[in-house]
Amino acid sequence: MSRSSFLPVCHAASDEVEVVLKDKESLLVGTLEFNNGKCAITLQKDGALKTRRKSDLYGNIEFRQVWSTGALGDEGDYTATLDDGTLKIQIGNEDPVYSTVRASDDFEAAGKEPYRLVIDDDCALSILGEVTDSYDGYSYDVRIWTSVRTWMTNGDVMQKGDIMTGFHYMQSCASSGNQYSYTVPMHTMVTQDCNIIQRTGRDPADFENGGGDVVWKAEIDDDDALPESKNCYVYVDKDFVGAFEGNFIESERDIQHPQRTGRYWRTTKGNWEETQVSDDQGFYQD
């Protein structure tokens, strides 16, 4: 069994999940609460789908945004439908304005029916499929997509709003002279203007309203950032991690640069078959 590229969150995520949608089921514009009211999922009239978590901030209980697709178009009667393992947002029978991208890992990508869109205790969304182990005959759930991941492999994609989370490992010296180590959570996100930033913070909700300290940002001139009306995605090429303009097309997953056009940022060239967030310098090749 291969290592999972897609995990829910970096801090002790619960294995307990609640089903949001089964295959062919839809969400309508509005808000639904899950996990005993701890999590909320909202589909807005502009097509934006977002998850929020109820948090206690200095004695004030409020919902904080964890993840969002951002606005997707003019106002209308959008639906978010789980269709054959892909979450699609669209109006009526029009072409989808948003579709999730399945994991590239062979084991995860092999996930089949029954498909379910689920939300975990940290309010991260995942799409589950099922695989049957050829050795013991047992069936297992695998995450074929998630809004918050800890690992990406060659061919994986992050879209606007998606988050990759990890740790910054630090050492400090106590007054006794003894050294001790500790970790600081880090989260790298594709922003709505297609910049890529990394912040410190307990969890992805710290992105809301600029929470947490920015410790890394892709070296993109402000003039080069794309307007929110344009789409973009981060793609793991085996030679680099790059940001590309436009919509990701599943049938073109194996196309590498320079055939994959529209690139406006990339990491240094190297072995990027696998990548994660480590330290405070953005993507890390492993």
Side-chain angles (χ1 to χ4, degrees):
M1 184 182 300
S2 75
R3 173 176 50 198
S4 174
S5 306
F6 281 47
L7 299 173
V9 283
C10 67
H11 54 83
S14 170
D15 289 333
E16 295 297 325
V17 297
E18 185 171 351
V19 175
V20 177
L21 294 175
K22 296 179 181 178
D23 210 43
K24 308 306 180 185
E25 292 183 341
S26 301
L27 292 173
L28 304 179
V29 170
T31 297
L32 294 174
E33 293 187 1
F34 297 88
N35 295 331
N36 296 317
K38 180 179 180 180
C39 303
I41 300 177
T42 299
L43 180 61
Q44 298 181 170
K45 290 183 178 180
D46 60 5
L49 183 68
K50 61 177 61 176
T51 61
R52 294 175 295 148
R53 181 172 59 250
K54 189 176 289 184
S55 301
D56 185 349
L57 297 177
Y58 310 108
N60 297 319
I61 305 297
E62 62 181 56
F63 276 107
R64 302 173 65 207
Q65 181 173 299
V66 176
W67 170 85
S68 175
T69 62
L72 298 173
D74 297 331
E75 289 193 357
D77 294 326
Y78 288 91
T79 58
T81 303
L82 187 61
D83 182 11
D84 196 25
T86 299
L87 184 64
K88 299 178 180 179
I89 301 175
Q90 61 193 118
I91 296 177
N93 293 322
E94 296 180 9
D95 291 337
V97 293
Y98 173 87
S99 298
T100 54
V101 179
R102 189 180 281 245
S104 65
D105 183 279
D106 289 341
F107 185 73
E108 292 165 330
K112 300 183 182 301
E113 296 179 340
Y115 297 114
R116 288 138 289 150
L117 175 69
V118 301
I119 190 165
D120 68 16
D121 194 52
D122 291 298
C123 306
L125 291 176
S126 297
I127 297 175
L128 302 182
E130 193 173 278
V131 296
T132 301
D133 193 290
S134 59
Y135 293 99
D136 58 23
Y138 287 105
S139 295
Y140 302 90
D141 284 340
V142 290
R143 286 183 175 86
I144 62 178
W145 172 85
T146 185
S147 60
V148 183
R149 73 287 311 276
T150 61
W151 205 278
M152 296 173 71
T153 57
N154 184 33
D156 274 334
V157 173
M158 289 174 64
Q159 301 184 90
K160 278 187 178 183
D162 285 354
I163 296 168
M164 186 156 68
T165 186
F167 292 106
H168 177 32
Y169 298 90
M170 304 183 70
Q171 286 191 335
S172 182
C173 189
S175 58
S176 63
N178 294 327
Q179 283 192 336
Y180 63 95
S181 300
Y182 60 98
T183 57
V184 177
M186 295 284 182
H187 312 282
T188 299
M189 175 179 171
V190 185
T191 64
Q192 295 304 315
D193 63 358
C194 293
N195 272 297
I196 308 165
I197 60 173
Q198 183 175 334
R199 292 185 185 273
T200 60
R202 175 191 171 277
D203 56 44
D206 290 319
F207 272 102
E208 188 178 22
N209 299 322
D213 295 325
V214 175
V215 296
W216 175 84
K217 183 177 180 180
E219 294 182 1
I220 303 169
D221 293 335
D222 289 342
D223 292 341
D224 292 335
L226 299 177
E228 293 189 15
S229 60
K230 293 291 185 67
N231 282 320
C232 60
Y233 61 93
V234 169
Y235 179 79
V236 181
D237 185 298
K238 61 184 179 181
D239 294 323
F240 59 83
V241 179
F244 293 83
E245 183 178 0
N247 289 311
F248 176 79
I249 300 175
E250 178 67 35
S251 62
E252 299 176 355
R253 185 189 289 270
D254 294 333
I255 295 178
Q256 308 291 341
H257 182 77
Q259 286 74 28
R260 180 175 295 277
T261 59
R263 194 198 78 210
Y264 70 97
W265 174 85
R266 76 169 192 180
T267 60
T268 57
K269 192 170 183 179
N271 176 22
W272 292 92
E273 291 284 348
E274 296 179 341
T275 182
Q276 58 182 318
V277 174
S278 179
D279 212 353
D280 56 354
Q281 300 178 24
F283 300 99
Y284 175 81
Q285 55 186 319
D286 186 67

